[in-house]
Amino acid sequence: MRWGCHLPRTSWGSGLGRTVPLPDELRIQSSWPFKGVHHPLRPPRAFIRHHGNSADSAPPPGRHGQLFRSISATEAIQRHRRNLTEWFSRLPREERQFGPTFALDTVHVDPVIRESTPDDLLRPSTELATGHQRTQAELPPLALSQLFDPDACGRRVQTVVLYGTVGTGKSTLVRKMVLDWCYGRLPAFELLIPFSCEDLSSLGSTPASLCQLVTQRYTPLKEVLPLMNAAGSRLLFVLHGLERLNLDFRLAGTGLCSDPEEPGAPAAIMVNLLRKYMLPEASILVTTRPSAIGRIPSKYVGRYGEICGFSDTNLQKLYFQLRLNQPDCGYGAGGTGVSVTPAQRDNLIQMLSRNLEGHHQIAAACFLPSYCWLVCATLHFLHAPTSAGQTLTSIYTSFLRLNFNGETLDSTDPSNLSLMSYAARTMGKLAYEGVSSRKTYFSEEDVRGCLEAGIKTEEEFQLLQIFRRDALRFFLAPCASQGYIATVFPVFLLEEHLNLVFIGLAKRTMGLNQGYPEVLELFLAVGGYICLELNLGGLVVWKATPPPMLLFQVVPRVFGRMVSKSREAVAQAMVLEMFREEDYYNDDVLDQMGASILGVEGPRRHPDEPPEDEVFELFPMFMSGLLSAHNRAVLAQLGCPIKNLDALENAQAIKKKLGKMGRQVLPPSELLDHLFFHYEFQNQRFSAEVLGSLRQLNLAGVRMTPLKCTVVASVLGSGRHPLDEVNLASCQLDPAGLHTLMPVLLRARKLGLQLNNLGPEACRDLRDLLLHDQCQITTLRLSNNPLTAAGVGVLMDGLAGNTSVTHLSLLHTDLGDEGLELLAAQLDRNKQLQELNVAYNGAGDTVALALAKAARKHPSLELLHLYFNELSSEGRQVLRDLGGSGEGGARVVASLTEGTAVSEYWSVILSEVQRNLNSWDPVRVQRHLKLLLRDLEDSRGATLNPWRKAQLLRVESEVKTLLEQLGGSGH
């Protein structure tokens, strides 16, 4: 794959303070955009071949020599490195789903960093939110190796501030830097001391010296602290998340202190470090959100760098290539051993790459590394599910937790408002209005209306400005649509997810101004309703709000009705959306989701459909997922609690609506959406009550991926009532999917598995299914699967011990003479079989006759299908004579004729041909149809009965029509 032109490689490699020229093919170092990654204890192999690490370069010369040369100091530093490695290598649960080999060193692509000036920081916040495209053309990129280079005036840079909006990868950059130092890839620094500003802020004003802060967190450094003063620039402090720390650089607020052992408030210690009054020679790297840049006066900052994420599509492609090519990251759902093969991974990467080039929506989303993570997590979910408990909703709630967990909107605000809570009530309101009006494109007025509605105080306006600078770009991306510039949610699924979060929050809490209009409308509606009731009752005419005592007596009853109607309306909208059918596009939501990411087809519009009419079929799935206890617990951690009572009442309203819809016969794709809804809910009792009336599981034509098999097995596998029919024809089902679906197949009475990819290895699972003591299958259709003779031998072992199967179809299963000979020899092992279809299997006269004789001797077999085999005219005549011998036993169907009459099974034969016309070999089918046509013509010429001639002519006409459809001649 060609990646196009690359950006200059950025690396924490050999020595900060000088630029290392690299060839084009090595100019992009791999990066990881999220918190919490696994790292091996030995230096990873991924960097052996990279230019610029400590393995092939020496530390740059400086005025300081080796400072920590004593044995005790060296051992202390090594212990410090090991402790940091252990801490920063820990993997959060959201990352463990990608397998044990997933590590920061193997999937890390450095984001673009552009140098800024203090003047750039004064741009309006709206430009910071949406103006990346403009500023990137003006500002030069900054390599990580250049962070501490002298500035344009030649002055030494000691303090660097890196800032970026939520999701740009600040946390990952720090984590990668620390791990690089632990493995000796930062030789410019002999000692690195990272501090979390969130951790420091939790200490409040409790006095502590710099030495105490260091030793409390990094005990091994106690022995080397006396050498910090002499370390100079080779000592690096990393202050991560400055927005969590309130700094006061006024002398009246924070006095001067140069002694690292003198106690003071942690914020005061950091202020004196940044003033360069304490340890003036030390290097300092600060990361922060844009809103907190001004907390450090610019005179104390040597360089500003804006983290711009993956603003180049090549970086996005490289990230996906590294991430999706990770070995051992595809474990089967439920431990079945399903994994993504290298060829499948390459195919995913190629399709995704093409979509990035041609689909501006996903490219705009992947501008932020966090959305690249979301895309990979979704693809992993779609193609290699690892945990039966993982759902699409849990991926999106985990995505929000990875980005917003513990984040407050403004640490200086006394309310300590959760950033995610603010986003849910502003961006959630925008999403709610978008889904309600069925649109995904929003004008500037739409966005401003949701952000600024109800703002009355200066404090509220300041909170809004902080949100614009720090997080608005995370939720909205610019997009050219219909000839004007609009904004969209980077991933449309996020709009539907936030819509449901907003609905869940709006029921109980309206803590922000955005909720006041709804509360006011509710109050006025209730007041008007009361006035209307009293007026109609002839009691009194109210011209103002009723007295409080009367209002409190009447409101609970009226409010209960309104809330109930609201829940009914939400449930009705959800059910209608889930079962919405469009003639022009009706794939299941999982295929739609995969197509939107990979660009295979994408959601198609009818040519006459207005472009703003969007389909939101995932809205009900997220509604179901957010009702589950796990996802509500995650949202509560983010400051967005959904009450248990609300969830229960919503679930009851949905159950009533689903109960009515569930009795209808749904198309296969809609039925899968219904099952996926239940999978997202993860509530077996709820699903059992709603799906209790389901008797037919018809998923014919639905591409059954490992995830879909897991969904069906999870939802229906624990049910008790039998399924009259399970139709999985043309589902691209493989042996692994068959194994996953085993609990559902045990409940089936009629099982259709025709037109799939089931080979000999699948017969082992079929054998186990037939031998299971709970097996209820009476009709088993395996036609058009490559079972071969090896598979049918295993299958016969299952039939020998089975007591339920009466009808078995092995039509076009590549049995050949060997397979039919095996059937003839072992047919007597089964005593219940009534009908056996082995048509179109390439059998010759001798084997066909042997099987026919065995069928005639079988105690229960009534019908044997042998047509479309390689039978000669003489062989077909022998089989006809055998059937007419009058000795009893099974009837043998090998042709469209029986003597000079039409076979009573002629319609069965021709319907099988019609059904498989597009999947069978046309040349071979033509040859067989011509032989059957010759039989019909011979029989017509041999009979004088006009009724029989008419029947034969009718069947001849049907055969000629089939031949014309195949492009063959009817003569």
Side-chain angles (χ1 to χ4, degrees):
M1 184 180 301
R2 298 182 59 186
W3 298 111
C5 59
H6 291 174
L7 294 179
R9 179 195 183 219
T10 55
S11 171
W12 289 98
S14 59
L16 297 177
R18 60 189 179 93
T19 304
V20 182
L22 295 176
D24 287 344
E25 63 272 14
L26 292 177
R27 285 188 180 175
I28 300 180
Q29 175 188 347
S30 36
S31 156
W32 167 236
F34 263 122
K35 311 171 185 177
V37 291
H38 175 73
H39 199 291
L41 290 179
R42 63 180 185 277
R45 61 185 181 278
F47 282 86
I48 300 296
R49 62 181 183 276
H50 286 322
H51 187 285
N53 52 46
S54 58
D56 54 8
S57 62
R63 66 179 189 175
H64 298 288
Q66 184 73 24
L67 295 171
F68 308 110
R69 288 180 293 182
S70 66
I71 295 177
S72 59
T74 302
E75 291 179 350
I77 295 294
Q78 291 303 317
R79 288 198 302 273
H80 179 56
R81 291 179 191 269
R82 288 194 295 269
N83 290 345
L84 286 180
T85 300
E86 174 65 22
W87 176 253
F88 282 87
S89 298
R90 293 184 181 274
L91 218 70
R93 186 182 59 82
E94 288 82 4
E95 302 298 345
R96 289 198 298 269
Q97 62 180 309
F98 294 106
T101 63
F102 172 73
L104 186 63
D105 281 323
T106 55
V107 283
H108 175 78
V109 178
D110 287 329
V112 173
I113 300 176
R114 297 189 181 273
E115 187 166 3
S116 302
T117 65
D119 292 337
D120 297 322
L121 306 179
L122 299 177
R123 296 196 309 269
S125 60
T126 52
E127 289 187 15
L128 280 175
T130 60
H132 285 294
Q133 310 305 324
R134 180 185 65 81
T135 59
Q136 288 168 8
E138 300 174 359
L139 300 176
L142 184 67
L144 292 176
S145 59
Q146 299 171 311
L147 288 182
F148 290 92
D149 276 1
D151 62 15
C153 299
R155 291 173 299 197
R156 179 183 168 200
V157 173
Q158 293 179 279
T159 302
V160 176
V161 174
L162 297 181
Y163 66 93
T165 58
V166 175
T168 50
K170 300 183 296 296
S171 299
T172 304
L173 205 60
V174 169
R175 185 177 295 273
K176 181 64 170 62
M177 175 186 175
V178 172
L179 290 175
D180 278 353
W181 179 79
C182 292
Y183 291 122
R185 291 196 292 267
L186 287 179
F189 302 109
E190 290 193 39
L191 179 60
L192 183 147
I193 302 177
F195 279 114
S196 165
C197 293
E198 179 182 4
D199 178 28
L200 295 176
S201 67
S202 67
L203 300 177
S205 58
T206 304
S209 68
L210 177 62
C211 292
Q212 289 174 329
L213 290 176
V214 173
T215 54
Q216 284 174 2
R217 284 149 186 79
Y218 309 111
T219 305
L221 295 182
K222 184 176 182 180
E223 298 182 24
V224 300
L225 288 180
L227 300 175
M228 283 199 307
N229 280 317
S233 62
R234 308 197 70 173
L235 169 63
L236 175 62
F237 286 97
V238 178
L239 307 181
H240 177 53
L242 183 73
E243 68 276 358
R244 303 301 298 269
L245 198 61
N246 299 325
L247 304 180
D248 188 354
F249 279 81
R250 299 171 302 165
L251 288 176
T254 303
L256 298 176
C257 175
S258 61
D259 186 359
E261 297 185 0
E262 181 176 336
I269 298 297
M270 296 302 115
V271 166
N272 280 293
L273 267 179
L274 291 166
R275 283 172 174 163
K276 310 309 294 180
Y277 197 76
M278 181 183 295
L279 301 179
E281 296 294 319
S283 301
I284 303 176
L285 178 71
V286 179
T287 66
T288 182
R289 298 201 311 240
S291 63
I293 298 174
R295 297 185 188 179
I296 305 178
S298 59
K299 64 180 180 180
Y300 297 125
V301 180
R303 176 170 285 121
Y304 292 97
E306 181 181 8
I307 303 176
C308 298
F310 295 158
S311 55
D312 187 277
T313 308
N314 290 320
L315 295 179
Q316 301 173 13
K317 292 179 181 179
L318 179 60
Y319 174 85
F320 289 126
Q321 185 184 37
L322 294 171
R323 182 61 170 271
L324 297 175
N325 268 327
Q326 285 302 297
D328 303 325
C329 68
Y331 298 99
T336 59
V338 182
S339 62
V340 181
T341 65
Q344 291 172 325
R345 285 197 291 263
D346 290 343
N347 187 45
L348 287 177
I349 294 169
Q350 290 178 13
M351 289 191 293
L352 188 54
S353 176
R354 286 194 296 268
N355 203 27
L356 286 171
E357 294 170 356
H359 193 323
H360 300 294
Q361 173 70 24
I362 191 172
C366 295
F367 170 86
L368 295 179
S370 55
Y371 279 96
C372 292
W373 180 92
L374 182 61
V375 168
C376 285
T378 306
L379 286 176
H380 190 268
F381 173 72
L382 290 173
H383 295 277
T386 59
S387 171
Q390 186 189 51
T391 64
L392 181 67
T393 313
S394 70
I395 288 177
Y396 272 77
T397 49
S398 297
F399 169 68
L400 296 177
R401 176 165 61 181
L402 282 168
N403 285 278
F404 294 98
N405 193 26
E407 296 283 349
T408 57
L409 184 58
D410 181 13
S411 61
T412 62
D413 185 66
S415 66
N416 204 31
L417 183 64
S418 160
L419 178 57
M420 187 60 223
S421 177
Y422 191 94
R425 288 168 170 82
T426 52
M427 295 296 97
K429 182 176 175 61
L430 182 67
Y432 172 76
E433 293 181 355
V435 174
S436 300
S437 58
R438 305 188 66 77
K439 68 177 182 179
T440 55
Y441 296 89
F442 303 94
S443 66
E444 185 178 348
E445 289 74 18
D446 295 331
V447 178
R448 187 183 299 116
C450 287
L451 290 174
E452 299 179 1
I455 289 184
K456 298 179 180 179
T457 66
E458 179 65 21
E459 290 76 12
E460 292 168 349
F461 184 77
Q462 289 298 328
L463 290 178
L464 174 59
Q465 291 303 100
I466 291 173
F467 180 76
R468 280 183 178 274
R469 293 170 66 93
D470 290 349
L472 185 60
R473 180 64 179 88
F474 180 87
F475 291 101
L476 293 178
C479 180
S481 173
Q482 310 302 318
Y484 65 94
I485 301 298
T487 54
V488 297
F489 285 90
V491 175
F492 288 148
L493 274 66
L494 186 63
E495 178 180 353
E496 302 182 61
H497 186 274
L498 287 175
N499 164 47
L500 268 301
V501 175
F502 176 78
I503 289 176
L505 293 177
K507 294 298 181 186
R508 290 282 180 181
T509 174
M510 290 291 183
L512 294 180
N513 297 345
Q514 284 74 8
Y516 290 162
E518 285 85 315
V519 175
L520 180 61
E521 290 176 9
L522 178 60
F523 182 81
L524 292 177
V526 172
Y529 186 85
I530 295 171
C531 296
L532 179 62
E533 282 195 334
L534 295 176
N535 283 328
L536 293 176
L539 299 176
V540 65
V541 177
W542 294 100
K543 295 185 179 180
T545 305
M549 290 300 295
L550 182 59
L551 183 64
F552 289 142
Q553 291 174 4
V554 183
V555 161
R557 174 168 55 89
V558 179
F559 183 76
R561 292 178 184 174
M562 296 183 67
V563 171
S564 176
K565 290 181 179 179
S566 174
R567 298 189 194 284
E568 292 287 330
V570 171
Q572 178 72 13
M574 185 212 71
V575 171
L576 290 177
E577 197 67 52
M578 182 164 62
F579 298 116
R580 177 182 174 89
E581 292 187 51
E582 300 83 24
D583 294 335
Y584 60 94
Y585 187 69
N586 197 33
D587 284 354
D588 60 80
V589 294
L590 292 173
D591 279 349
Q592 292 183 47
M593 188 164 44
S596 66
I597 294 176
L598 299 174
V600 180
E601 293 179 331
R604 297 172 295 200
R605 299 182 208 263
H606 190 276
D608 300 329
E609 193 77 23
E612 63 273 9
D613 185 18
E614 301 289 347
V615 178
F616 293 94
E617 289 194 72
L618 276 164
F619 156 60
M621 309 307 164
F622 284 131
M623 165 65 87
S624 174
L626 291 178
L627 291 177
S628 68
H630 169 74
N631 288 307
R632 286 189 287 115
V634 174
L635 288 176
Q637 295 174 8
L638 299 174
C640 303
I642 298 176
K643 304 296 184 182
N644 292 328
L645 183 59
D646 287 337
L648 177 62
E649 291 174 349
N650 277 310
Q652 290 173 343
I654 292 170
K655 183 191 296 184
K656 182 165 48 172
K657 297 296 180 183
L658 283 179
K660 297 177 181 178
M661 294 295 297
R663 289 188 287 271
Q664 300 180 11
V665 178
L666 299 173
S669 61
E670 299 298 324
L671 178 57
L672 182 67
D673 289 348
H674 190 189
L675 298 179
F676 186 50
F677 170 88
H678 290 277
Y679 178 79
E680 288 291 312
F681 196 5
Q682 297 281 300
N683 188 317
Q684 289 291 344
R685 180 177 178 181
F686 177 92
S687 299
E689 293 177 2
V690 173
L691 298 172
S693 60
L694 182 67
R695 289 295 181 270
Q696 289 189 337
L697 180 64
N698 180 16
L699 296 176
V702 175
R703 185 172 58 93
M704 293 301 292
T705 63
L707 172 61
K708 294 177 186 178
C709 293
T710 300
V711 168
V712 175
S714 175
V715 174
L716 296 176
S718 59
R720 296 182 179 275
H721 67 275
L723 298 171
D724 293 337
E725 182 175 3
V726 174
N727 188 354
L728 296 171
S730 302
C731 290
Q732 301 181 36
L733 198 64
D734 57 15
L738 189 68
H739 182 85
T740 303
L741 290 169
M742 193 67 69
V744 180
L745 305 184
L746 284 172
R747 296 167 51 196
R749 287 177 175 165
K750 292 182 179 180
L751 177 57
L753 296 173
Q754 58 270 33
L755 288 163
N756 282 296
N757 301 317
L758 305 178
E761 61 276 11
C763 291
R764 291 192 290 270
D765 289 307
L766 291 172
R767 176 194 59 195
D768 297 340
L769 174 66
L770 294 173
L771 292 177
H772 199 283
D773 55 2
Q774 296 179 10
C775 179
Q776 306 178 50
I777 299 173
T778 58
T779 301
L780 178 59
R781 301 186 183 96
L782 295 171
S783 57
N784 296 289
N785 283 292
L787 301 182
T788 71
V792 80
V794 177
L795 188 64
M796 286 305 299
D797 293 338
L799 286 171
N802 178 270
T803 59
S804 62
V805 175
T806 58
H807 295 73
L808 175 64
S809 175
L810 298 175
L811 177 142
H812 193 210
T813 50
D814 297 338
L815 301 185
D817 283 347
E818 182 182 356
L820 264 65
E821 186 176 358
L822 186 62
L823 272 176
Q826 300 190 21
L827 192 59
D828 60 346
R829 297 175 64 189
N830 177 279
K831 307 301 181 183
Q832 286 77 33
L833 204 59
Q834 297 176 12
E835 182 177 350
L836 176 62
N837 189 339
V838 289
Y840 201 171
N841 272 293
D845 293 346
T846 304
V847 174
L849 181 60
L851 181 59
K853 290 180 178 179
R856 300 277 294 177
K857 296 178 181 178
H858 194 277
S860 61
L861 196 62
E862 299 173 357
L863 188 61
L864 174 66
H865 300 261
L866 278 172
Y867 45 86
F868 274 32
N869 281 293
E870 302 303 317
L871 304 177
S872 63
S873 299
E874 294 78 10
R876 291 196 299 275
Q877 184 61 48
V878 171
L879 291 175
R880 282 196 291 267
D881 295 341
L882 182 65
S885 61
E887 297 177 0
R891 299 190 63 179
V892 180
V893 181
S895 179
L896 292 172
T897 61
E898 292 181 1
T900 58
V902 175
S903 169
E904 61 180 295
Y905 299 102
W906 71 269
S907 60
V908 175
I909 299 173
L910 295 185
S911 63
E912 285 285 0
V913 177
Q914 183 70 54
R915 188 181 303 116
N916 297 283
L917 207 58
N918 296 324
S919 59
W920 284 355
D921 179 12
V923 176
R924 189 175 177 186
V925 173
Q926 282 182 23
R927 179 166 56 84
H928 283 294
L929 285 176
K930 288 178 180 178
L931 290 175
L932 295 179
L933 185 61
R934 189 180 307 159
D935 284 346
L936 291 169
E937 293 171 345
D938 292 344
S939 297
R940 181 162 52 87
T943 181
L944 298 177
N945 188 319
W947 175 249
R948 288 185 177 180
K949 283 183 179 288
Q951 283 186 312
L952 289 165
L953 280 171
R954 177 191 172 190
V955 179
E956 285 181 37
S957 176
E958 296 281 351
V959 175
K960 289 177 181 179
T961 301
L962 288 175
L963 281 170
E964 290 175 0
Q965 292 180 25
L966 287 168
S969 172
H971 302 285

